[in-house]
């Protein structure tokens, strides 16, 4: 029987997770919960997703807007096996007690602290250890990107040490009230929180990260310097390793992808209901190897990279797949056929 999934918080991440869950044959989307009426609530109804009122939201405001409401958050949760909490940072923690009281399994996002759930999750890294857990936290977009690459490089070559500079987008495209508009802001928390967050997935990984915020909304870029334990035969070997691993997309030189604007233009051109890029994006010419010193750029589409990971987290929790590779293949197949 399909696992019954609900989504609480229908913003950037929540609406994408709802779409992804709706396409998985082993899951049923019970509904989505929002606090306030908006164009997104109207689109949810158009898509046939039952809409519930969350977080002390005003039912009257939805009715006044002519939006059909299926019930309250509590009712949605009662009809579900798992709730994917996609509310703003730190709100998930506040919701945690209500989920426990209702006896429902929650999946939280990277804006919550790691202690909110039994384990932090990344499909390529620790799916098996997450099987059967009662609560999980899907790590943030940047941590997901590093964890995917770390899972691959650790297995194939071993990682002695990793340094990364994270060039962060200032805001998501719809966040018109955020900046900076002109400037580059160093994050003076040195090193940045991303390294410790990656360690919630790989506790023994020697990693240190810095971050700067730049005025763009498209994607983040990671500038990585990794000291490998076993030197690859050639840079071509590393390129092939990235190319043949699920959830990595490598651009070739002739494709003329100069940076994030072309990556997202490619995402729009390849089609689909959402022009998203759920893969880690690398450039063949952006990978260099000197002995065992590997340097590479990767771009991360912050709005969508964690979406397939949430689907896999549900499969891990309910033991719907024996391992991460099987779950990822299933998730990606159903997301791709939707394109
Ligand atoms: P968002 O602000 O786009 O969406 C959050 C939604 O939840 C909004 O629609 C908001 O109205 C609604 N909401 C507010 N309070 C609520 C409540 N009490 N109950 C139910 N809904 C409520 O936020 P987002 O970017 O989707 O982030 C959600 C989570 O995902 C955060 O933990 C964030 O750190 C994490 N995350 C975000 C990104 C990103 O780049 N946007 C990437 C990875 C992970």
């Amino acid at each position: 029987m399909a696992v019954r999934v609900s989504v609480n918080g229908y913003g950037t991440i929540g609406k994408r997770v709802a779409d992804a869950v709706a396409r998985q044959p082993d899951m049923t989307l019970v509904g989505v919960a929002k606090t306030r009426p908006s164009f997104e609530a109207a689109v949810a109804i158009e898509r046939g997703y039952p809409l519930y009122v969350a977080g002390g939201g005003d039912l009257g405001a939805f009715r006044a807007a002519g939006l059909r409401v299926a019930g309250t958050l509590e009712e949605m949760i009662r009809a579900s096996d798992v709730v994917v909490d996609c509310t703003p940072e730190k709100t998930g923690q506040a919701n945690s007690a209500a989920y426990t009281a209702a006896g429902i399994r929650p999946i939280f996002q990277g804006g919550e602290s790691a202690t909110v759930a039994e384990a932090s999750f990344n499909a390529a890294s620790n799916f098996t250890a997450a099987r059967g857990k009662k609560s999980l936290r899907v790590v943030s977009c940047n941590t997901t990107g590093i964890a995917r690459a770390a899972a691959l490089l650790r297995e194939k070559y071993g990682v002695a040490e990793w340094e990364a500079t994270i060039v962060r987008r200032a805001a998501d495209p719809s966040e018109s009230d955020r900046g900076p508009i002109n400037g580059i802001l160093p994050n003076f928390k040195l090193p940045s929180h991303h390294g410790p967050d990656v360690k919630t997935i790989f506790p023994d990984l020697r990693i240190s990260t810095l971050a700067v915020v730049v005025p763009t909304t498209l994607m983040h870029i990671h500038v990585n310097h990794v000291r490998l334990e076993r030197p690859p035969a050639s840079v071509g070997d590393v390129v092939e390793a990235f190319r043949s691993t699920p959830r990595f997309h490598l651009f070739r030189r002739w494709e003329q992808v100069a940076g994030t604007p072309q990556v997202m233009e490619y995402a729009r051109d390849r089609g689909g209901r959402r022009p998203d890029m759920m893969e880690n994006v690398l450039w063949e010419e952006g990978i260099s190897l000197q002995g065992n010193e590997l340097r590479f750029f990767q771009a991360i589409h912050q709005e969508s990279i964690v979406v397939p990971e949430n689907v896999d987290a549900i499969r891990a929790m309910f033991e719907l797949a024996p391992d991460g590779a099987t779950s990822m293949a299933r998730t990606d197949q159903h997301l791709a056929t939707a394109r």
Side-chain angles (χ1 to χ4, degrees), residues 113-131:
S113 71
T115 51
V116 74
E118 273 184 70
S120 290
F121 177 82
N122 172 256
S125 311
N126 63 356
F127 184 97
T128 310
R131 286 181 91 234

Side-chain angles (χ1 to χ4, degrees), residues 85 87-98 108 112-117:
D85 187 295
T87 59
E89 299 189 359
K90 311 298 177 221
T91 312
Q93 178 76 61
N95 291 335
S96 177
F108 297 99
E112 308 304 321
S113 71
T115 51
V116 74

Side-chain angles (χ1 to χ4, degrees), residues 162-315:
W162 190 312
E163 282 179 18
T165 299
I166 291 156
V167 183
R168 295 183 52 200
R169 62 88 178 97
D172 290 340
S174 66
E175 292 177 314
S176 50
D177 55 343
R178 285 184 63 182
I181 290 173
N182 181 22
I184 298 176
L185 308 186
N187 177 350
F188 293 118
K189 188 177 179 311
L190 299 168
S192 73
H193 71 277
H194 305 95
D197 202 29
V198 175
K199 281 168 166 288
T200 64
I201 301 286
F202 293 116
D204 61 332
L205 182 67
R206 292 189 60 194
I207 180 163
S208 152
T209 53
L210 305 176
V212 295
V213 182
V214 297
T216 179
T217 63
L218 296 177
M219 302 182 89
H220 305 293
I221 287 246
H222 299 169
V223 186
N224 296 288
H225 178 190
V226 186
R227 188 162 310 118
L228 300 170
E229 286 170 346
R230 300 180 294 280
S234 67
V235 70
D237 194 69
V238 184
V239 168
E240 225 15 74
F242 279 125
R243 191 185 296 292
S244 58
T245 302
R247 298 192 185 164
F248 284 85
H249 187 98
L250 261 76
F251 284 108
R252 296 188 161 92
R253 188 186 293 264
W254 62 259
E255 291 181 271
Q256 301 193 51
V257 175
T260 57
Q262 293 78 21
V263 174
M264 293 316 296
E265 186 68 5
Y266 167 81
R268 286 190 283 268
D269 286 353
R270 79 175 167 177
R273 197 144 71 174
R274 286 188 187 282
D276 283 343
M277 209 62 213
M278 299 186 191
E279 306 96 325
N280 286 31
V281 174
L282 278 76
W283 290 259
E284 250 182 35
E285 59 193 312
I287 303 174
S288 111
L289 183 72
Q290 291 165 303
N292 59 353
E293 306 282 332
L294 174 69
R295 292 179 176 82
F296 66 98
F297 297 109
Q298 65 176 1
I300 302 297
H301 185 221
Q302 73 281 352
E303 296 175 280
S304 68
I305 185 173
V306 298
V307 171
E309 307 295 330
N310 274 279
V311 173
D312 296 322
I314 296 167
R315 280 215 189 85

Side-chain angles (χ1 to χ4, degrees), residues 111-160:
E112 308 304 321
S113 71
T115 51
V116 74
E118 273 184 70
S120 290
F121 177 82
N122 172 256
S125 311
N126 63 356
F127 184 97
T128 310
R131 286 181 91 234
K133 294 278 190 217
K134 299 280 185 287
S135 62
L136 288 172
R137 164 184 169 261
V138 172
V139 290
S140 75
C141 48
N142 285 310
T143 306
T144 296
I146 295 177
R148 282 183 189 168
L152 160 62
L153 294 175
R154 277 162 66 95
E155 189 188 317
K156 211 156 160 50
Y157 310 112
V159 170

